[in-house]
Amino acid sequence: MYEYEMLQLRSAELIRQAEQERLAREVVRARRAARREAARRTAEPDSHTHRPRRHRFARVA
């Protein structure tokens, strides 16, 4: 009976630990999304031109 109780305690502990890790991942994901949204709102709309970029190196003859 003692082994069964220990198994139940270990199982409950693993379930709690998994839930904490899921919650931590969710918090990280939410922070990233908030940062991306803030960066998108503060970005200047005319920071990118619609002209094609010039090539970095001259063309070879």
Side-chain angles (χ1 to χ4, degrees), residues 11-29:
S11 176
E13 177 61 32
L14 288 173
I15 291 170
R16 277 193 297 273
Q17 185 178 3
E19 181 61 33
Q20 287 176 346
E21 289 174 4
R22 273 193 294 272
L23 181 61
R25 284 193 305 268
E26 187 178 323
V27 167
V28 168
R29 207 173 299 126

Side-chain angles (χ1 to χ4, degrees), residues 14-52:
L14 288 173
I15 291 170
R16 277 193 297 273
Q17 185 178 3
E19 181 61 33
Q20 287 176 346
E21 289 174 4
R22 273 193 294 272
L23 181 61
R25 284 193 305 268
E26 187 178 323
V27 167
V28 168
R29 207 173 299 126
R31 284 182 183 166
R32 283 184 191 147
R35 265 193 315 239
R36 266 188 246 116
E37 181 64 26
R40 187 183 64 77
R41 273 190 261 121
T42 60
E44 295 181 16
D46 59 349
S47 62
H48 297 287
T49 61
H50 295 291
R51 298 183 295 158

